[in-house]
Amino acid sequence: MAEVNPRRVELYVRNFERALEEYTAEEPFARFLTRFFKENKQMGSSDRRMTSRLCYNFFRLGQAIPTAEPMQRLIVAEFLCESSSPIVSLYEPEWQTVSGESLETKITFLQGLGIEVSQTIFPYTENLSATIEPTYFSLSHLIQPDLFIRAKKAEVEQVERALLKHKISFLRESDTGFRLANGSRLQDVRGIKGRYEVQDLSSQETINAFQISGKESWWDACAASGGKSLMLLDMYPQLDLLVSDIRLSILRNLNERFEEAGVKTMAYRQKIIDLTGDVSAILGSEQFDGILLDAPCSGSGTWGRTPEMIQQFSVGKIKHFADLQKKIARNVVPYLKRNGTLIYITCSVFSDENEAVVAYLEKTFGLVVEESRTINGYTKRADSMFVARLRKIN
Protein backbone atom coordinates (compact mmCIF):
# COMPACT_ATOMS: atom_id res chain seq x y z
CA MET A 1 0.00 0.00 0.00
CA ALA A 2 1.19 3.54 -0.78
CA GLU A 3 2.44 5.67 2.09
CA VAL A 4 -0.43 7.09 4.09
CA ASN A 5 -0.98 10.84 4.09
CA PRO A 6 -2.38 11.60 7.58
CA ARG A 7 -3.94 14.91 6.52
CA ARG A 8 -5.72 13.25 3.61
CA VAL A 9 -6.98 10.42 5.80
CA GLU A 10 -8.25 12.89 8.41
CA LEU A 11 -10.14 14.71 5.64
CA TYR A 12 -11.73 11.40 4.62
CA VAL A 13 -12.80 10.86 8.22
CA ARG A 14 -14.29 14.37 8.53
CA ASN A 15 -16.30 13.87 5.34
CA PHE A 16 -17.50 10.50 6.65
CA GLU A 17 -18.53 12.01 9.99
CA ARG A 18 -20.40 14.87 8.29
CA ALA A 19 -22.30 12.50 6.01
CA LEU A 20 -23.20 10.21 8.88
CA GLU A 21 -24.31 13.13 11.05
CA GLU A 22 -26.55 14.61 8.35
CA TYR A 23 -28.18 11.33 7.33
CA THR A 24 -31.58 11.06 9.05
CA ALA A 25 -32.59 7.59 7.76
CA GLU A 26 -35.74 9.02 6.18
CA GLU A 27 -34.63 7.88 2.71
CA PRO A 28 -32.27 5.32 1.19
CA PHE A 29 -28.68 6.26 1.90
CA ALA A 30 -27.80 6.24 -1.82
CA ARG A 31 -30.38 8.96 -2.47
CA PHE A 32 -29.13 11.00 0.47
CA LEU A 33 -25.54 10.65 -0.70
CA THR A 34 -26.40 11.97 -4.16
CA ARG A 35 -27.87 15.10 -2.60
CA PHE A 36 -25.01 15.39 -0.09
CA PHE A 37 -22.46 15.48 -2.90
CA LYS A 38 -24.48 18.05 -4.85
CA GLU A 39 -24.51 20.28 -1.79
CA ASN A 40 -20.75 19.85 -1.31
CA LYS A 41 -19.38 20.56 -4.75
CA GLN A 42 -15.92 21.25 -3.33
CA MET A 43 -15.46 17.50 -2.86
CA GLY A 44 -13.41 15.95 -5.64
CA SER A 45 -14.14 12.58 -7.21
CA SER A 46 -11.68 10.73 -4.96
CA ASP A 47 -13.21 12.35 -1.86
CA ARG A 48 -16.69 11.32 -2.98
CA ARG A 49 -15.60 7.75 -3.66
CA MET A 50 -13.93 7.45 -0.27
CA THR A 51 -16.86 9.02 1.58
CA SER A 52 -19.21 6.55 -0.08
CA ARG A 53 -16.91 3.63 0.70
CA LEU A 54 -16.43 4.55 4.36
CA CYS A 55 -20.14 5.10 4.97
CA TYR A 56 -21.21 1.86 3.31
CA ASN A 57 -18.52 -0.15 5.08
CA PHE A 58 -19.63 1.41 8.37
CA PHE A 59 -23.22 0.29 7.68
CA ARG A 60 -22.00 -3.19 6.67
CA LEU A 61 -20.94 -3.78 10.24
CA GLY A 62 -24.67 -3.92 11.02
CA GLN A 63 -25.37 -4.06 14.74
CA ALA A 64 -21.97 -5.39 15.76
CA ILE A 65 -20.07 -3.69 18.63
CA PRO A 66 -22.95 -1.20 19.17
CA THR A 67 -21.38 0.50 22.21
CA ALA A 68 -18.15 1.39 20.38
CA GLU A 69 -17.56 4.91 19.17
CA PRO A 70 -18.34 5.49 15.45
CA MET A 71 -14.63 5.92 14.68
CA GLN A 72 -13.75 2.58 16.23
CA ARG A 73 -16.59 0.91 14.36
CA LEU A 74 -15.33 2.47 11.14
CA ILE A 75 -11.82 1.10 11.68
CA VAL A 76 -13.20 -2.40 12.31
CA ALA A 77 -15.46 -2.14 9.28
CA GLU A 78 -12.62 -1.03 7.00
CA PHE A 79 -10.45 -3.85 8.34
CA LEU A 80 -13.10 -6.46 7.59
CA CYS A 81 -14.39 -5.11 4.27
CA GLU A 82 -11.13 -4.09 2.60
CA SER A 83 -7.80 -5.81 1.98
CA SER A 84 -6.01 -2.47 2.31
CA SER A 85 -7.20 0.64 4.09
CA PRO A 86 -5.59 4.02 4.86
CA ILE A 87 -7.89 4.23 7.89
CA VAL A 88 -6.50 1.01 9.35
CA SER A 89 -2.93 1.96 8.41
CA LEU A 90 -3.14 5.26 10.27
CA TYR A 91 -5.14 4.33 13.35
CA GLU A 92 -4.40 0.62 13.88
CA PRO A 93 -1.16 -0.01 11.96
CA GLU A 94 -0.49 -3.35 13.68
CA TRP A 95 -3.67 -4.74 12.11
CA GLN A 96 -2.12 -4.33 8.68
CA THR A 97 -0.26 -7.62 9.07
CA VAL A 98 -3.56 -9.51 8.55
CA SER A 99 -5.51 -7.00 6.43
CA GLY A 100 -4.94 -9.02 3.28
CA GLU A 101 -5.96 -12.33 4.83
CA SER A 102 -9.32 -14.10 4.55
CA LEU A 103 -12.41 -12.76 6.29
CA GLU A 104 -12.36 -15.75 8.63
CA THR A 105 -8.76 -15.00 9.65
CA LYS A 106 -9.55 -11.34 10.29
CA ILE A 107 -12.57 -12.21 12.43
CA THR A 108 -10.43 -14.58 14.49
CA PHE A 109 -7.82 -11.83 14.84
CA LEU A 110 -10.45 -9.43 16.20
CA GLN A 111 -11.76 -12.06 18.59
CA GLY A 112 -8.26 -12.26 20.02
CA LEU A 113 -8.58 -8.54 20.77
CA GLY A 114 -11.96 -9.06 22.45
CA ILE A 115 -13.94 -7.73 19.47
CA GLU A 116 -16.78 -10.08 18.48
CA VAL A 117 -18.64 -9.33 15.25
CA SER A 118 -19.70 -12.55 13.51
CA GLN A 119 -22.76 -13.20 15.69
CA THR A 120 -24.03 -9.63 15.86
CA ILE A 121 -23.82 -8.10 12.38
CA PHE A 122 -27.28 -9.41 11.49
CA PRO A 123 -29.23 -9.78 14.76
CA TYR A 124 -32.36 -11.41 13.31
CA THR A 125 -31.02 -14.90 12.64
CA GLU A 126 -33.77 -16.59 14.66
CA ASN A 127 -36.27 -15.29 12.09
CA LEU A 128 -34.51 -16.66 9.01
CA SER A 129 -36.00 -19.20 6.64
CA ALA A 130 -34.74 -22.67 7.53
CA THR A 131 -32.54 -23.16 4.45
CA ILE A 132 -30.44 -20.05 5.14
CA GLU A 133 -27.20 -20.61 7.05
CA PRO A 134 -27.17 -17.87 9.71
CA THR A 135 -23.44 -17.18 10.12
CA TYR A 136 -22.65 -17.35 6.41
CA PHE A 137 -25.59 -15.06 5.65
CA SER A 138 -24.62 -12.56 8.37
CA LEU A 139 -21.02 -12.31 7.19
CA SER A 140 -22.13 -11.89 3.57
CA HIS A 141 -23.18 -8.34 4.44
CA LEU A 142 -19.49 -7.42 4.72
CA ILE A 143 -19.11 -8.06 0.97
CA GLN A 144 -20.67 -5.79 -1.63
CA PRO A 145 -22.84 -7.76 -4.08
CA ASP A 146 -21.93 -7.75 -7.75
CA LEU A 147 -23.82 -6.00 -10.54
CA PHE A 148 -26.02 -8.22 -12.72
CA ILE A 149 -27.73 -7.50 -16.00
CA ARG A 150 -30.14 -9.48 -18.14
CA ALA A 151 -29.90 -9.07 -21.91
CA LYS A 152 -33.01 -9.44 -24.03
CA LYS A 153 -33.09 -12.84 -25.70
CA ALA A 154 -32.62 -11.38 -29.15
CA GLU A 155 -29.85 -9.00 -28.04
CA VAL A 156 -27.44 -11.22 -26.10
CA GLU A 157 -24.72 -11.28 -28.75
CA GLN A 158 -24.89 -7.51 -29.28
CA VAL A 159 -24.60 -6.85 -25.55
CA GLU A 160 -21.68 -9.24 -25.20
CA ARG A 161 -19.83 -7.70 -28.15
CA ALA A 162 -20.33 -4.20 -26.75
CA LEU A 163 -18.99 -5.20 -23.33
CA LEU A 164 -15.94 -6.79 -24.93
CA LYS A 165 -15.35 -3.77 -27.16
CA HIS A 166 -15.43 -1.40 -24.19
CA LYS A 167 -13.22 -3.76 -22.14
CA ILE A 168 -15.80 -4.22 -19.39
CA SER A 169 -15.07 -7.49 -17.59
CA PHE A 170 -17.99 -9.87 -17.18
CA LEU A 171 -18.98 -13.47 -16.57
CA ARG A 172 -21.90 -15.18 -18.26
CA GLU A 173 -24.25 -16.52 -15.59
CA SER A 174 -26.97 -17.87 -17.89
CA ASP A 175 -28.18 -17.68 -21.47
CA THR A 176 -29.13 -14.04 -20.93
CA GLY A 177 -27.49 -13.09 -17.61
CA PHE A 178 -24.16 -11.33 -17.05
CA ARG A 179 -22.17 -10.67 -13.87
CA LEU A 180 -20.14 -7.44 -13.74
CA ALA A 181 -18.09 -5.66 -11.11
CA ASN A 182 -20.02 -3.13 -9.09
CA GLY A 183 -19.35 0.32 -10.48
CA SER A 184 -19.05 -0.85 -14.09
CA ARG A 185 -19.90 2.18 -16.21
CA LEU A 186 -22.52 0.75 -18.51
CA GLN A 187 -23.69 4.28 -19.31
CA ASP A 188 -20.47 4.69 -21.28
CA VAL A 189 -21.19 1.67 -23.50
CA ARG A 190 -22.74 2.79 -26.74
CA GLY A 191 -25.35 0.80 -28.58
CA ILE A 192 -26.79 -1.29 -25.74
CA LYS A 193 -29.38 1.06 -24.26
CA GLY A 194 -32.69 -0.80 -24.24
CA ARG A 195 -30.98 -4.10 -24.97
CA TYR A 196 -30.50 -5.07 -21.32
CA GLU A 197 -31.97 -4.56 -17.87
CA VAL A 198 -30.15 -4.24 -14.56
CA GLN A 199 -31.60 -7.19 -12.65
CA ASP A 200 -30.13 -9.19 -9.80
CA LEU A 201 -29.09 -12.78 -10.43
CA SER A 202 -31.66 -14.20 -7.99
CA SER A 203 -34.42 -12.08 -9.51
CA GLN A 204 -33.50 -13.48 -12.92
CA GLU A 205 -33.66 -16.99 -11.47
CA THR A 206 -37.30 -16.59 -10.43
CA ILE A 207 -38.30 -17.09 -14.09
CA ASN A 208 -37.64 -20.81 -13.56
CA ALA A 209 -40.73 -21.02 -11.34
CA PHE A 210 -43.05 -20.03 -14.18
CA GLN A 211 -44.64 -22.68 -16.40
CA ILE A 212 -46.44 -20.82 -19.15
CA SER A 213 -47.76 -22.24 -22.41
CA GLY A 214 -49.74 -20.56 -25.14
CA LYS A 215 -51.43 -17.16 -24.90
CA GLU A 216 -52.23 -17.07 -21.21
CA SER A 217 -53.59 -14.10 -19.30
CA TRP A 218 -51.38 -12.95 -16.40
CA TRP A 219 -51.55 -10.22 -13.80
CA ASP A 220 -48.41 -8.72 -12.26
CA ALA A 221 -50.23 -7.44 -9.20
CA CYS A 222 -47.39 -5.47 -7.54
CA ALA A 223 -45.44 -4.54 -10.65
CA ALA A 224 -43.38 -1.63 -9.22
CA SER A 225 -40.81 -0.68 -11.87
CA GLY A 226 -41.73 -3.73 -13.94
CA GLY A 227 -38.49 -5.72 -13.90
CA LYS A 228 -40.16 -9.12 -13.69
CA SER A 229 -42.87 -8.12 -16.19
CA LEU A 230 -40.15 -7.21 -18.68
CA MET A 231 -38.52 -10.59 -18.11
CA LEU A 232 -41.87 -12.34 -18.58
CA LEU A 233 -42.64 -10.51 -21.82
CA ASP A 234 -39.18 -11.27 -23.15
CA MET A 235 -39.51 -14.98 -22.36
CA TYR A 236 -43.23 -15.26 -23.18
CA PRO A 237 -44.10 -12.52 -25.70
CA GLN A 238 -47.52 -14.06 -26.31
CA LEU A 239 -48.73 -13.17 -22.80
CA ASP A 240 -51.85 -11.09 -22.26
CA LEU A 241 -50.40 -9.07 -19.39
CA LEU A 242 -51.96 -6.69 -16.87
CA VAL A 243 -49.60 -4.71 -14.65
CA SER A 244 -50.78 -2.83 -11.58
CA ASP A 245 -49.43 -0.85 -8.68
CA ILE A 246 -50.80 1.46 -6.03
CA ARG A 247 -49.23 4.68 -7.32
CA LEU A 248 -49.53 6.44 -10.66
CA SER A 249 -45.93 7.68 -10.40
CA ILE A 250 -44.71 4.08 -10.20
CA LEU A 251 -46.64 3.13 -13.32
CA ARG A 252 -45.29 6.17 -15.16
CA ASN A 253 -41.78 5.02 -14.36
CA LEU A 254 -42.76 1.54 -15.54
CA ASN A 255 -44.03 2.96 -18.83
CA GLU A 256 -40.74 4.79 -19.38
CA ARG A 257 -38.75 1.64 -18.66
CA PHE A 258 -40.94 -0.43 -20.98
CA GLU A 259 -40.61 2.18 -23.73
CA GLU A 260 -36.82 2.20 -23.39
CA ALA A 261 -36.86 -1.60 -23.64
CA GLY A 262 -38.89 -1.42 -26.86
CA VAL A 263 -42.08 -2.82 -25.33
CA LYS A 264 -45.07 -1.24 -27.06
CA THR A 265 -48.05 -0.09 -24.99
CA MET A 266 -50.29 -2.52 -26.86
CA ALA A 267 -48.27 -5.41 -25.37
CA TYR A 268 -49.68 -4.85 -21.87
CA ARG A 269 -52.44 -3.17 -19.88
CA GLN A 270 -52.03 -1.20 -16.68
CA LYS A 271 -54.23 -0.19 -13.77
CA ILE A 272 -53.79 1.69 -10.51
CA ILE A 273 -54.96 -0.78 -7.86
CA ASP A 274 -54.76 -0.62 -4.07
CA LEU A 275 -54.57 -4.29 -3.12
CA THR A 276 -55.16 -3.66 0.57
CA GLY A 277 -58.87 -3.24 -0.17
CA ASP A 278 -61.64 -4.73 -2.31
CA VAL A 279 -60.68 -4.43 -5.98
CA SER A 280 -63.90 -5.79 -7.53
CA ALA A 281 -64.94 -2.33 -8.76
CA ILE A 282 -61.77 -2.27 -10.89
CA LEU A 283 -61.37 -5.89 -11.97
CA GLY A 284 -65.03 -6.93 -12.00
CA SER A 285 -65.34 -10.56 -13.05
CA GLU A 286 -61.92 -10.74 -14.72
CA GLN A 287 -60.00 -13.98 -14.19
CA PHE A 288 -56.36 -14.80 -14.91
CA ASP A 289 -54.48 -17.95 -15.85
CA GLY A 290 -51.65 -16.75 -13.67
CA ILE A 291 -50.92 -14.10 -11.07
CA LEU A 292 -47.47 -12.85 -10.08
CA LEU A 293 -47.53 -11.55 -6.52
CA ASP A 294 -44.11 -9.99 -5.91
CA ALA A 295 -45.24 -8.87 -2.50
CA PRO A 296 -44.14 -5.80 -0.50
CA CYS A 297 -41.67 -7.09 2.07
CA SER A 298 -38.86 -6.22 4.46
CA GLY A 299 -36.33 -6.43 1.62
CA SER A 300 -34.01 -8.24 4.03
CA GLY A 301 -32.51 -10.34 1.25
CA THR A 302 -31.18 -7.19 -0.42
CA TRP A 303 -29.52 -5.51 2.56
CA GLY A 304 -26.11 -6.34 1.14
CA ARG A 305 -26.89 -3.48 -1.28
CA THR A 306 -28.57 -1.26 1.33
CA PRO A 307 -26.70 -2.16 4.53
CA GLU A 308 -28.03 0.90 6.35
CA MET A 309 -31.27 -1.09 6.72
CA ILE A 310 -29.68 -3.54 9.16
CA GLN A 311 -29.38 -0.77 11.73
CA GLN A 312 -32.75 0.83 10.93
CA PHE A 313 -34.85 -2.34 11.04
CA SER A 314 -36.72 -3.67 14.08
CA VAL A 315 -37.98 -7.23 14.44
CA GLY A 316 -41.55 -6.04 14.95
CA LYS A 317 -41.69 -4.96 11.32
CA ILE A 318 -41.61 -8.59 10.20
CA LYS A 319 -45.16 -9.11 11.44
CA HIS A 320 -46.26 -5.89 9.75
CA PHE A 321 -45.05 -7.13 6.37
CA ALA A 322 -46.39 -10.66 6.87
CA ASP A 323 -49.84 -9.28 7.74
CA LEU A 324 -49.71 -6.99 4.69
CA GLN A 325 -48.76 -9.88 2.41
CA LYS A 326 -51.69 -11.98 3.64
CA LYS A 327 -54.07 -9.05 3.27
CA ILE A 328 -52.97 -8.46 -0.32
CA ALA A 329 -53.21 -12.18 -1.10
CA ARG A 330 -56.83 -12.24 0.12
CA ASN A 331 -57.68 -9.60 -2.48
CA VAL A 332 -55.68 -11.21 -5.29
CA VAL A 333 -56.38 -14.95 -5.19
CA PRO A 334 -60.12 -14.67 -6.05
CA TYR A 335 -59.10 -13.46 -9.53
CA LEU A 336 -57.17 -16.64 -10.27
CA LYS A 337 -58.86 -19.12 -12.58
CA ARG A 338 -59.43 -22.70 -11.53
CA ASN A 339 -56.19 -24.61 -12.20
CA GLY A 340 -54.46 -21.23 -12.42
CA THR A 341 -50.96 -20.47 -11.13
CA LEU A 342 -49.96 -18.09 -8.35
CA ILE A 343 -46.28 -17.14 -8.22
CA TYR A 344 -45.46 -15.70 -4.79
CA ILE A 345 -42.13 -13.88 -4.52
CA THR A 346 -40.38 -11.83 -1.86
CA CYS A 347 -36.86 -10.44 -1.52
CA SER A 348 -37.02 -11.38 2.17
CA VAL A 349 -35.10 -14.00 4.12
CA PHE A 350 -37.60 -14.16 6.99
CA SER A 351 -39.71 -17.32 7.36
CA ASP A 352 -42.79 -15.35 8.49
CA GLU A 353 -42.81 -13.54 5.13
CA ASN A 354 -42.01 -16.66 3.14
CA GLU A 355 -42.93 -20.17 4.27
CA ALA A 356 -45.54 -18.94 6.75
CA VAL A 357 -47.39 -16.95 4.07
CA VAL A 358 -47.32 -19.95 1.72
CA ALA A 359 -48.80 -22.09 4.51
CA TYR A 360 -51.50 -19.44 4.94
CA LEU A 361 -52.28 -19.55 1.21
CA GLU A 362 -52.58 -23.34 1.38
CA LYS A 363 -54.84 -23.33 4.43
CA THR A 364 -57.03 -20.35 3.54
CA PHE A 365 -57.54 -20.81 -0.19
CA GLY A 366 -56.83 -24.50 -0.70
CA LEU A 367 -53.94 -23.74 -3.04
CA VAL A 368 -51.51 -26.56 -3.70
CA VAL A 369 -47.78 -25.84 -3.46
CA GLU A 370 -45.87 -27.14 -6.48
CA GLU A 371 -42.55 -25.47 -5.66
CA SER A 372 -41.30 -23.43 -2.73
CA ARG A 373 -37.71 -22.41 -2.05
CA THR A 374 -35.30 -19.71 -1.03
CA ILE A 375 -32.82 -18.51 -3.63
CA ASN A 376 -29.70 -18.14 -1.52
CA GLY A 377 -27.92 -15.41 -3.44
CA TYR A 378 -25.69 -14.61 -0.47
CA THR A 379 -23.48 -17.52 -1.58
CA LYS A 380 -23.06 -15.89 -5.01
CA ARG A 381 -22.56 -12.20 -4.17
CA ALA A 382 -26.19 -11.61 -5.11
CA ASP A 383 -29.49 -10.87 -3.39
CA SER A 384 -31.45 -13.60 -1.61
CA MET A 385 -35.10 -14.19 -2.47
CA PHE A 386 -38.01 -16.55 -1.97
CA VAL A 387 -40.27 -17.98 -4.67
CA ALA A 388 -43.22 -20.36 -4.58
CA ARG A 389 -45.52 -21.68 -7.27
CA LEU A 390 -49.01 -22.60 -6.14
CA ARG A 391 -51.96 -24.02 -8.08
CA LYS A 392 -55.65 -23.28 -7.55
CA ILE A 393 -57.38 -26.63 -7.90
CA ASN A 394 -60.91 -25.56 -6.83
Side-chain angles (χ1 to χ4, degrees), residues 140-334:
S140 73
H141 292 89
L142 295 171
I143 303 170
Q144 184 180 30
D146 287 333
L147 172 66
F148 298 92
I149 63 173
R150 178 187 57 81
K152 295 169 69 173
K153 282 197 305 182
E155 309 285 357
V156 173
E157 292 184 4
Q158 292 91 328
V159 170
E160 183 166 331
R161 282 199 300 267
L163 293 175
L164 289 169
K165 180 179 179 180
H166 287 78
K167 298 181 180 179
I168 294 181
S169 299
F170 66 87
L171 293 174
R172 287 286 296 274
E173 291 289 340
S174 65
D175 290 344
T176 57
F178 296 77
R179 178 194 296 268
L180 295 84
N182 229 298
S184 297
R185 293 184 60 82
L186 292 175
Q187 64 271 31
D188 296 339
V189 180
R190 294 182 180 180
I192 64 171
K193 186 176 181 180
R195 299 178 188 270
Y196 75 93
E197 297 293 328
V198 175
Q199 186 174 21
D200 183 77
L201 181 65
S202 297
S203 181
Q204 294 181 43
E205 192 174 325
T206 61
I207 195 68
N208 297 327
F210 293 81
Q211 295 182 349
I212 297 174
S213 60
K215 187 175 174 60
E216 296 184 3
S217 61
W218 276 73
W219 174 23
D220 185 352
C222 301
S225 61
K228 293 185 180 66
S229 281
L230 281 171
M231 183 168 61
L232 275 175
L233 288 172
D234 189 38
M235 298 297 293
Y236 304 103
Q238 74 277 18
L239 278 189
D240 174 13
L241 182 65
L242 169 67
V243 296
S244 70
D245 208 279
I246 191 172
R247 287 175 291 175
L248 176 60
S249 59
I250 294 291
L251 292 177
R252 284 175 175 164
N253 291 337
L254 179 148
N255 287 337
E256 292 176 3
R257 188 176 182 185
F258 276 32
E259 182 179 0
E260 186 174 280
V263 177
K264 300 185 182 301
T265 55
M266 65 183 68
Y268 65 100
R269 297 178 294 142
Q270 67 170 23
K271 293 181 183 291
I272 301 172
I273 302 179
D274 181 357
L275 295 173
T276 62
D278 181 14
V279 299
S280 59
I282 299 173
L283 292 180
S285 59
E286 191 162 2
Q287 294 276 285
F288 299 91
D289 296 302
I291 297 175
L292 165 58
L293 180 54
D294 190 355
C297 69
S298 62
S300 46
T302 69
W303 289 350
R305 300 187 189 279
T306 56
E308 69 271 19
M309 289 301 301
I310 306 175
Q311 297 181 21
Q312 296 173 18
F313 195 75
S314 62
V315 72
K317 293 180 181 179
I318 299 175
K319 183 179 185 304
H320 161 76
F321 284 111
D323 289 345
L324 177 62
Q325 290 149 4
K326 294 171 185 175
K327 187 175 186 178
I328 288 174
R330 287 197 296 271
N331 294 314
V332 164
V333 173

Side-chain angles (χ1 to χ4, degrees), residues 4-23:
V4 174
N5 181 333
R7 293 182 62 184
R8 170 59 65 178
V9 175
E10 289 165 3
L11 175 61
Y12 291 153
V13 171
R14 287 197 298 273
N15 288 337
F16 156 77
E17 291 173 337
R18 285 181 54 221
L20 206 64
E21 182 180 347
E22 293 183 25
Y23 179 54

Side-chain angles (χ1 to χ4, degrees), residues 124-143:
Y124 315 107
T125 54
E126 292 183 358
N127 304 99
L128 291 173
S129 290
T131 58
I132 294 176
E133 202 289 311
T135 300
Y136 194 166
F137 176 73
S138 296
L139 294 179
S140 73
H141 292 89
L142 295 171
I143 303 170

Side-chain angles (χ1 to χ4, degrees), residues 50-75:
M50 186 56 76
T51 300
S52 179
R53 164 179 152 172
L54 296 183
C55 289
Y56 273 106
N57 283 348
F58 178 84
F59 289 132
R60 289 189 184 287
L61 202 57
Q63 296 197 21
I65 52 173
T67 59
E69 293 294 324
M71 189 60 202
Q72 180 62 25
R73 297 187 80 246
L74 175 63
I75 297 168

